[in-house]
Amino acid sequence: MKRTAVNPWNWSLKLGYNQAEIIEGQTRQLIVAGQIAVDENGAPQHAGDMRAQIALALDNLEAVLKGAGMDLSNVIKLGVYATDVDEALKNFDLMGMRFGPVQNAPPMTLLGVTRLAIPGLLFEIEATAAA
């Protein structure tokens, strides 16, 4: 799979994402449902702690990717939902710590929402991956 970043401006790179990517030569695509801060039984974790919820949601995303024989380097698009965008952005260094080592800055959309499906959850991340 060949990826070519499309960035008419550089400002998004400072935030850890490309404006767009051209994906060529993929053979498999994975659509990952929103991953949240729940344990293996689906019980919400880390009430009121945005940072811990982001970390666990990323752990869960990585687990789903691994189950498909992929990792964060295969992610080609992210959708992020947060009940407090400012608080999420304060903790986005966690995104950089996960995606930076695999040198991936997939296009991303961050939306503020009034609540998520499960009360008490603050952060949700969905992904599209390709190999």
Side-chain angles (χ1 to χ4, degrees), residues 18-40:
N18 289 312
Q19 290 291 319
E21 288 185 347
I22 299 168
I23 308 296
E24 299 174 273
Q26 77 170 39
T27 58
R28 293 187 325 133
Q29 189 173 35
L30 177 70
I31 309 299
V32 182
Q35 298 301 302
I36 50 180
V38 294
D39 65 15
E40 64 277 356

Side-chain angles (χ1 to χ4, degrees), residues 89-108:
L89 288 171
K90 287 179 193 173
N91 292 286
F92 253 46
D93 62 307
L94 293 171
M95 301 284 283
M97 291 190 308
R98 301 290 182 101
F99 284 91
V102 298
Q103 298 181 343
N104 190 6
M108 173 178 31

